[in-house]
Amino acid sequence: MRNLTLKHFKTVQAIIKCGKIVSAAKMLGLSPPALTIQLRQVEEEFQLALFDRTSDGMRPTAAGRAFVETAQVIEEHLGLLEDKMDAIKGLRTGSLRLGVVSTAKYFAPRLMAAFMKDHPDIDMRLAIGNRAQTIDNLKNHDIDIALMGRPAKEVPVRASVFGDHPLVIIAPPDHPLVAARDISKERISEEHFLIREPGSGTRISLEIFLSDVPGRIDDLGVEMASNETIKQAVMAGLGIAFISAHTIAAETEAGRLVILDVVGMPIRRQWFSVMRTDHAISPAMATFNDFLMRKGAMYLPLFGKLYPDKAG
C-alpha cells in the first residue's frame, strides 16, 4: 500500500461518483487513459478488481466499496487537519455540513443563523431530507452532523439530546372532536389519518401508539410525502394527523389547526445531534455541538398550550 497516493483515492471516488471512465476523467481534468492507468495501479496493488466493467458503466465491487469508504475517511481527516492548522494560526474558520430531517426544517434555519452570527467564519451548508435520506447522507459521509428525532441504527453514531420534541394529533377547527376532552386511544383510532411515508420518525411513533388497538396499524391511513402536504390536507378536512408540534406553530396560532386532547398526548420525544462514531470531530463540529447543547432548545418553536383548555 506504500505505492498508493491521494490521486489514486480521488480516482476511485470519481469513478464511483460518475460511473464512467470518460466522465470521471473529465471531472478530474485528466485524460481517460491517464485515469485508467491510475485505476490499474490500485487494482494491481491489491490484486483485486475494484469495478465490474458493464455496458451501463463501472459498478464497484466489494473491494471497490471498501476502498472508497477509506477514501472518504481520509478526506475527512484531511479536512480536520486543515481546520486544526487554521486553529493553531488563530483563525476561527472551518466548514460544517449539517443534515436535518424534514421536520427539523421548521427551526434549523433560525438555529443556523444564530450560530453563524457567533461564528461568521465557519462555512455552513444545510441538507434537508426525510429520515431515510438523512441516514444515507450519514452513511455516505455527505454530512458531518444530523439533527433527527431518533438516532440512526443503520450506522454507528454518537447522539446527544438538545431539546424536547412533542408529537400531537391535529384536526381542522370544525372537527367534531375539537370540543372533546380526554379522547381515548380507541376513539381516536376510528378517525381517518393522514400519514408520512414508511420509516419516517412520526409514522413509527404513531404505529407504536396505536399498536395495541387490534388491526389498526394494518391500514394506518393515506400516505403523504411531506408535513406541508399533510397540514394542508388536514385544513381541507381530509382527515386528522399525528405530527410534530414544531411543524404547526403558525397554523395553531392562526386558528387554522387545532391540537386534539387525546389521552397520552403529547408524546414527548427528543431532538438529537447525531455524528458517526468513526467521523473525526473537527473544531467546527465540536463548536456547533457545544452550541446545540447550550442553546439549541431556545430555537425550537414555542407554544402557549399543547392541550386545549379543560372544560369547567
Side-chain angles (χ1 to χ4, degrees):
M1 291 179 60
R2 294 178 180 176
N3 296 321
L4 296 181
T5 68
L6 290 177
K7 288 183 179 180
H8 290 121
F9 286 101
K10 289 184 179 297
T11 291
V12 177
Q13 283 181 298
I15 295 172
I16 285 182
K17 182 174 183 179
C18 298
K20 294 185 178 180
I21 292 288
V22 172
S23 302
K26 184 176 181 181
M27 182 176 123
L28 295 177
L30 299 172
S31 68
L35 188 135
T36 301
I37 290 171
Q38 290 189 13
L39 174 59
R40 187 180 302 122
Q41 289 170 344
V42 178
E43 293 182 323
E44 289 176 353
E45 183 72 23
F46 291 102
Q47 294 296 299
L48 287 169
L50 300 192
F51 293 92
D52 290 324
R53 280 72 167 170
T54 73
S55 58
D56 296 328
M58 307 284 282
R59 293 184 179 176
T61 62
R65 290 190 294 272
F67 189 86
V68 81
E69 187 172 329
T70 299
Q72 290 167 332
V73 172
I74 290 172
E75 196 168 51
E76 286 174 1
H77 279 269
L78 288 174
L80 175 60
L81 176 61
E82 185 176 6
D83 287 348
K84 285 182 176 179
M85 292 302 178
D86 285 339
I88 291 170
K89 290 186 289 187
L91 302 175
R92 298 176 65 195
T93 61
S95 62
L96 180 68
R97 301 167 300 170
L98 181 65
V100 305
V101 294
S102 53
T103 301
K105 71 182 181 182
Y106 294 90
F107 63 82
R110 290 177 58 239
L111 193 154
M112 284 179 61
F115 176 76
M116 294 170 71
K117 183 176 180 181
D118 291 342
H119 304 278
D121 294 324
I122 292 180
D123 176 33
M124 284 194 75
R125 299 184 183 183
L126 178 65
I128 299 172
N130 61 29
R131 178 177 172 80
Q133 291 166 336
T134 302
I135 291 173
D136 281 343
N137 284 338
L138 277 172
K139 283 182 178 179
N140 298 329
H141 298 263
D142 291 331
I143 56 177
D144 301 310
I145 296 178
L147 306 185
M148 57 202 318
R150 291 181 304 111
K153 295 180 180 179
E154 295 85 345
V155 59
V157 298
R158 57 174 69 91
S160 305
V161 175
F162 69 90
D164 284 340
H165 183 196
L167 302 170
V168 297
I169 293 180
I170 56 171
D174 59 352
H175 193 280
L177 290 179
V178 166
R181 296 295 174 262
D182 297 322
I183 304 165
S184 69
K185 183 185 298 187
E186 291 71 24
R187 173 64 187 88
I188 202 67
S189 70
E190 297 172 4
E191 293 295 311
H192 180 71
F193 277 84
L194 308 172
I195 59 175
R196 289 291 301 272
E197 72 282 356
S200 84
T202 50
R203 176 159 174 171
I204 290 171
S205 293
L206 178 60
E207 289 171 347
I208 293 171
F209 180 70
L210 296 177
S211 61
D212 55 355
V213 179
R216 186 61 184 86
I217 62 173
D218 296 334
D219 183 20
L220 202 56
V222 175
E223 289 183 18
M224 295 190 172
S226 70
N227 290 318
E228 286 302 313
T229 304
I230 286 176
K231 290 191 295 183
Q232 292 298 323
V234 172
M235 287 188 280
L238 296 181
I240 66 172
F242 179 73
I243 200 167
S244 166
H246 292 317
T247 69
I248 56 168
E251 291 81 4
T252 54
E253 290 171 6
R256 297 194 297 273
L257 289 172
V258 176
I259 298 173
L260 297 182
D261 184 21
V262 179
V263 175
M265 296 280 176
I267 292 176
R268 293 194 177 276
R269 297 289 185 253
Q270 294 170 311
W271 282 112
F272 291 86
S273 166
V274 176
M275 294 178 275
R276 290 183 60 125
T277 54
D278 59 356
H279 194 309
I281 300 178
S282 69
M285 290 170 64
T287 302
F288 181 74
N289 207 55
D290 177 67
F291 170 83
L292 277 179
M293 298 306 107
R294 291 184 296 106
K295 299 182 178 180
M298 295 169 48
Y299 298 97
L300 298 175
L302 298 176
F303 287 83
K305 305 168 194 153
L306 282 178
Y307 288 109
D309 288 326
K310 297 293 182 183

